[in-house]
Amino acid sequence: MAAVLIAVGYRLFRSGESAVATDTTAVLPKGARILSTAVAGDRLVVTLDISGVIEIRTFDAKTLKPAGKLKFANEP
């Protein structure tokens, strides 16, 4: 939910380009928590805590389509 709000706000306040409103729902795994969100270039970056495992998901800021996923794991 926060990711969608940030993406829409980002596009509305970007200078020099017209923004097209997009309604998108990103489905998170059960029990996931959003730790942070950020905009990096043309990407929306969302950091998640999924049952103690940190994961970073990136989305295209214009289309809000998933662009990548990075999971972190501890060495055994």
Side-chain angles (χ1 to χ4, degrees):
M1 186 87 158
V4 172
L5 293 175
I6 289 173
V8 170
Y10 171 75
R11 286 195 277 158
L12 286 175
F13 292 107
R14 249 170 93 176
S15 62
E17 295 182 21
S18 63
V20 177
T22 302
D23 291 331
T24 302
T25 301
V27 180
L28 300 177
K30 189 172 185 170
R33 293 184 326 126
I34 297 175
L35 298 178
S36 68
T37 58
V39 176
D42 62 347
R43 296 282 189 246
L44 173 65
V45 181
V46 181
T47 304
L48 303 171
D49 178 353
I50 306 171
S51 301
V53 175
I54 303 299
E55 180 174 307
I56 296 175
R57 293 186 183 187
T58 56
F59 300 87
D60 182 275
K62 292 181 182 177
T63 64
L64 299 179
K65 291 183 180 179
K69 186 186 303 187
L70 175 63
K71 292 183 181 184
F72 296 92
N74 293 326
E75 290 184 5

